PDB file of all heavy atoms in Angstrom:
ATOM      1  N   ALA A 172      47.618 -25.844  78.412  1.00  0.00           N
ATOM      2  CA  ALA A 172      46.943 -26.964  77.764  1.00  0.00           C
ATOM      3  C   ALA A 172      47.940 -28.122  77.699  1.00  0.00           C
ATOM      4  O   ALA A 172      49.089 -27.944  77.239  1.00  0.00           O
ATOM      5  CB  ALA A 172      46.492 -26.590  76.358  1.00  0.00           C
ATOM      6  N   LEU A 173      47.546 -29.294  78.178  1.00  0.00           N
ATOM      7  CA  LEU A 173      48.451 -30.424  78.276  1.00  0.00           C
ATOM      8  C   LEU A 173      48.311 -31.327  77.054  1.00  0.00           C
ATOM      9  O   LEU A 173      47.232 -31.819  76.746  1.00  0.00           O
ATOM     10  CB  LEU A 173      48.159 -31.228  79.541  1.00  0.00           C
ATOM     11  CG  LEU A 173      48.229 -30.453  80.867  1.00  0.00           C
ATOM     12  CD1 LEU A 173      47.836 -31.358  82.022  1.00  0.00           C
ATOM     13  CD2 LEU A 173      49.618 -29.897  81.087  1.00  0.00           C
ATOM     14  N   LEU A 174      49.426 -31.544  76.370  1.00  0.00           N
ATOM     15  CA  LEU A 174      49.466 -32.473  75.247  1.00  0.00           C
ATOM     16  C   LEU A 174      49.789 -33.860  75.808  1.00  0.00           C
ATOM     17  O   LEU A 174      50.752 -34.005  76.568  1.00  0.00           O
ATOM     18  CB  LEU A 174      50.540 -32.054  74.249  1.00  0.00           C
ATOM     19  CG  LEU A 174      50.695 -32.879  72.984  1.00  0.00           C
ATOM     20  CD1 LEU A 174      49.508 -32.678  72.061  1.00  0.00           C
ATOM     21  CD2 LEU A 174      51.989 -32.502  72.271  1.00  0.00           C
ATOM     22  N   PRO A 175      49.018 -34.883  75.467  1.00  0.00           N
ATOM     23  CA  PRO A 175      49.331 -36.245  75.964  1.00  0.00           C
ATOM     24  C   PRO A 175      50.777 -36.606  75.625  1.00  0.00           C
ATOM     25  O   PRO A 175      51.262 -36.339  74.516  1.00  0.00           O
ATOM     26  CB  PRO A 175      48.347 -37.133  75.199  1.00  0.00           C
ATOM     27  CG  PRO A 175      47.195 -36.222  74.859  1.00  0.00           C
ATOM     28  CD  PRO A 175      47.817 -34.873  74.603  1.00  0.00           C
ATOM     29  N   LEU A 176      51.486 -37.191  76.603  1.00  0.00           N
ATOM     30  CA  LEU A 176      52.915 -37.494  76.431  1.00  0.00           C
ATOM     31  C   LEU A 176      53.169 -38.323  75.197  1.00  0.00           C
ATOM     32  O   LEU A 176      54.166 -38.167  74.508  1.00  0.00           O
ATOM     33  CB  LEU A 176      53.459 -38.167  77.680  1.00  0.00           C
ATOM     34  CG  LEU A 176      53.659 -37.282  78.910  1.00  0.00           C
ATOM     35  CD1 LEU A 176      54.126 -38.120  80.102  1.00  0.00           C
ATOM     36  CD2 LEU A 176      54.661 -36.179  78.625  1.00  0.00           C
ATOM     37  N   GLU A 177      52.258 -39.275  74.911  1.00  0.00           N
ATOM     38  CA  GLU A 177      52.488 -40.167  73.777  1.00  0.00           C
ATOM     39  C   GLU A 177      52.255 -39.482  72.432  1.00  0.00           C
ATOM     40  O   GLU A 177      52.535 -40.045  71.379  1.00  0.00           O
ATOM     41  CB  GLU A 177      51.602 -41.411  73.890  1.00  0.00           C
ATOM     42  CG  GLU A 177      50.115 -41.181  73.722  1.00  0.00           C
ATOM     43  CD  GLU A 177      49.411 -40.739  74.992  1.00  0.00           C
ATOM     44  OE1 GLU A 177      50.126 -40.465  75.995  1.00  0.00           O
ATOM     45  OE2 GLU A 177      48.185 -40.676  74.990  1.00  0.00           O
ATOM     46  N   ARG A 178      51.750 -38.240  72.451  1.00  0.00           N
ATOM     47  CA  ARG A 178      51.497 -37.516  71.196  1.00  0.00           C
ATOM     48  C   ARG A 178      52.404 -36.302  71.027  1.00  0.00           C
ATOM     49  O   ARG A 178      52.139 -35.417  70.232  1.00  0.00           O
ATOM     50  CB  ARG A 178      50.033 -37.037  71.153  1.00  0.00           C
ATOM     51  CG  ARG A 178      48.995 -38.102  71.443  1.00  0.00           C
ATOM     52  CD  ARG A 178      49.060 -39.261  70.467  1.00  0.00           C
ATOM     53  NE  ARG A 178      48.643 -38.911  69.135  1.00  0.00           N
ATOM     54  CZ  ARG A 178      47.374 -38.935  68.727  1.00  0.00           C
ATOM     55  NH1 ARG A 178      46.404 -39.258  69.554  1.00  0.00           N
ATOM     56  NH2 ARG A 178      47.078 -38.639  67.464  1.00  0.00           N
ATOM     57  N   GLN A 179      53.521 -36.295  71.740  1.00  0.00           N
ATOM     58  CA  GLN A 179      54.428 -35.136  71.718  1.00  0.00           C
ATOM     59  C   GLN A 179      54.924 -34.788  70.335  1.00  0.00           C
ATOM     60  O   GLN A 179      55.186 -33.623  70.037  1.00  0.00           O
ATOM     61  CB  GLN A 179      55.624 -35.396  72.619  1.00  0.00           C
ATOM     62  CG  GLN A 179      55.347 -35.283  74.099  1.00  0.00           C
ATOM     63  CD  GLN A 179      56.596 -35.563  74.909  1.00  0.00           C
ATOM     64  OE1 GLN A 179      57.702 -35.330  74.440  1.00  0.00           O
ATOM     65  NE2 GLN A 179      56.436 -36.051  76.108  1.00  0.00           N
ATOM     66  N   LEU A 180      55.109 -35.814  69.489  1.00  0.00           N
ATOM     67  CA  LEU A 180      55.679 -35.570  68.167  1.00  0.00           C
ATOM     68  C   LEU A 180      54.657 -35.735  67.068  1.00  0.00           C
ATOM     69  O   LEU A 180      55.032 -35.767  65.885  1.00  0.00           O
ATOM     70  CB  LEU A 180      56.856 -36.534  67.951  1.00  0.00           C
ATOM     71  CG  LEU A 180      58.001 -36.445  68.967  1.00  0.00           C
ATOM     72  CD1 LEU A 180      59.078 -37.473  68.675  1.00  0.00           C
ATOM     73  CD2 LEU A 180      58.604 -35.039  68.962  1.00  0.00           C
ATOM     74  N   ASP A 181      53.394 -35.845  67.416  1.00  0.00           N
ATOM     75  CA  ASP A 181      52.334 -36.006  66.410  1.00  0.00           C
ATOM     76  C   ASP A 181      51.936 -34.631  65.890  1.00  0.00           C
ATOM     77  O   ASP A 181      51.262 -33.857  66.561  1.00  0.00           O
ATOM     78  CB  ASP A 181      51.128 -36.719  67.046  1.00  0.00           C
ATOM     79  CG  ASP A 181      50.065 -37.067  66.026  1.00  0.00           C
ATOM     80  OD1 ASP A 181      49.756 -36.221  65.169  1.00  0.00           O
ATOM     81  OD2 ASP A 181      49.534 -38.177  66.084  1.00  0.00           O
ATOM     82  N   THR A 182      52.384 -34.310  64.686  1.00  0.00           N
ATOM     83  CA  THR A 182      52.201 -32.970  64.158  1.00  0.00           C
ATOM     84  C   THR A 182      50.727 -32.603  63.972  1.00  0.00           C
ATOM     85  O   THR A 182      50.313 -31.478  64.225  1.00  0.00           O
ATOM     86  CB  THR A 182      52.952 -32.810  62.818  1.00  0.00           C
ATOM     87  OG1 THR A 182      52.564 -33.882  61.947  1.00  0.00           O
ATOM     88  CG2 THR A 182      54.442 -32.862  63.027  1.00  0.00           C
ATOM     89  N   ARG A 183      49.931 -33.560  63.528  1.00  0.00           N
ATOM     90  CA  ARG A 183      48.495 -33.277  63.334  1.00  0.00           C
ATOM     91  C   ARG A 183      47.826 -32.971  64.664  1.00  0.00           C
ATOM     92  O   ARG A 183      47.007 -32.042  64.763  1.00  0.00           O
ATOM     93  CB  ARG A 183      47.850 -34.479  62.667  1.00  0.00           C
ATOM     94  CG  ARG A 183      46.374 -34.331  62.362  1.00  0.00           C
ATOM     95  CD  ARG A 183      46.119 -33.324  61.259  1.00  0.00           C
ATOM     96  NE  ARG A 183      45.613 -32.059  61.780  1.00  0.00           N
ATOM     97  CZ  ARG A 183      45.207 -31.062  61.026  1.00  0.00           C
ATOM     98  NH1 ARG A 183      45.277 -31.130  59.713  1.00  0.00           N
ATOM     99  NH2 ARG A 183      44.767 -29.949  61.557  1.00  0.00           N
ATOM    100  N   THR A 184      48.178 -33.720  65.709  1.00  0.00           N
ATOM    101  CA  THR A 184      47.605 -33.490  67.035  1.00  0.00           C
ATOM    102  C   THR A 184      48.000 -32.106  67.547  1.00  0.00           C
ATOM    103  O   THR A 184      47.184 -31.399  68.148  1.00  0.00           O
ATOM    104  CB  THR A 184      48.083 -34.566  68.031  1.00  0.00           C
ATOM    105  OG1 THR A 184      47.628 -35.838  67.582  1.00  0.00           O
ATOM    106  CG2 THR A 184      47.539 -34.308  69.434  1.00  0.00           C
TER     107      THR A 184
END
Side-chain angles (χ1 to χ4, degrees):
L173 303 177
L174 182 70
L176 286 176
E177 68 276 8
R178 309 301 291 274
Q179 285 180 28
L180 301 178
D181 188 316
T182 52
R183 181 70 256 186
T184 299

